[in-house]
Amino acid sequence: MNPQSLLLILASTGVVTIVAGFLEERFKHRNLSGYLAFAGTALAFALSFKLEPGTYNLAPGAPLPAAELRVDPLSKFLGALFLAVFLAAIAHSFSYMREEGESGYYTLTVLMASGLVGALFSNDLFTFFCFWELASVSGYALVGYRWWYWEPAEAAFKYLLACTVGALTTLYAASLLYGVAGTTNLDALRTALSQVGGSRAFAAVTALLIVGLGTTAAVVPFHTWLPDAHPAAPSPISAVLSGVVVNAPLYMLARLLLTVLPRETGVSYALLALGSLSSIVGNAAALVQLDAKRFLAYSTIANVGYMLVGLGACYRAEAAGAAGVAVDALTGVFVQLVNHAVSKSLLFLCVGNAVRETGSRLFTSLEGYGRRMPATGALSLVALLNLAGIPPAAGYYGKALITAGLAYNLQDPAALAALAALEANFALAAGYYAYFAFRAFRERGRALREAPLSMLAPEAALAAFVAASSVYPSLLVEGVRAGVKALLGSP
């Protein structure tokens, strides 16, 4: 099984949902396009487990060798994860989206999934850029789906502007690398750049990549689009933005910094500084939010900061020759990525249940929804406990491994400062997740109907993954560790 098959299935599903839209209008059959989008994404998800590691040319025999995809154990696992989040979002949308023109919504969602999966498997920078643009344009339309209101229109413009700046900055870095090596293929770049060594030019390219990919990952100070996009988008799309969109560029950044580009002295300092700043700003801003979805958006920025700090710890340990510590730190990054993707998506969907009933995103309107909607409340609690990282929740292990990656050398002032900031932010985040749970389950609150089964079922599936990972954390941690070792070429 090759990744082209997944992309073809998703692209075909996007086309089919357009046709289904016309049939819906003619035969008055609601959700036909949604069911077809779900079926196509489910097929791609099932087949993702059959992907075979290796490199695949998108256009065999073409004169351009850059159009190449690569499957490795880590990208295969993340591809299945991303498709699972999209699958849950599409299923949740059956009842959440009650507007005309839903076929366009489902088409855009499937095309966004296709772009993000293609970007994940891309083995060259130009192909990554093309797939990322597909995902960005689809995401722009989805964030502004309710364009007749001012908030989604403004948020969509900010999202498009940020993604455009990030993508063009990344493309400019790719053009500089092409000028030096004559290729944008990552394997070929690795070979060519290893013979050149470090220079100021490569330091500039590295900085451009951190800025470009960091913008789409909502790293502070390039984060300003995300707190507007999350609240304005429909809740299933908010789940995708937080669970997938900000994570895909972090994976590409890790691949480029750790396996392709020459080592630069200042990169680890930049990663630790930007990661610490993101976690501080994200958590501090989350504390003062009155809008529940805006609160979750800022906590996403904080989690991106945790992962960036872990990436900096891995980079630093590798440079010091501590290969085992580097593997632990990067394992922590991707375990944290998995837990955040699933749990934050779950929480956005649960909050979407309550928002659908109350018509408001304000905490004052949502207070007590956990009591009035017991199934939604219980599923929210699973997500909150995992995000807080309280043992034995699986969310603990990613944070512990990132901490271990920083703590192995306490005589390093930069690592020590980042460690202090990280631990303080872990404690702060655990506190405000507990406060979120308190407000969700306090006595006051209006009478609300429980969400329908079509909304609860995908949430239950995500919660089941969280529960299984918490009961058997070694399966998640060791599975990710194997992928990290393959990525780093570590025995």
Side-chain angles (χ1 to χ4, degrees), residues 37-78:
F38 180 85
T41 307
L43 178 60
F45 170 71
L47 293 178
S48 67
F49 293 96
K50 295 181 176 291
L51 288 175
E52 298 176 2
T55 55
Y56 301 87
N57 200 310
L58 280 172
L64 293 176
E68 188 174 82
L69 302 177
R70 174 187 173 88
V71 177
D72 57 50
L74 187 58
S75 64
K76 177 180 176 178
F77 177 73
L78 294 179

Side-chain angles (χ1 to χ4, degrees), residues 376-400:
T376 298
L379 293 168
S380 297
L381 192 59
V382 171
L384 288 166
L385 289 173
N386 201 43
L387 288 168
I390 300 172
Y396 164 78
Y397 297 95
K399 295 177 179 180

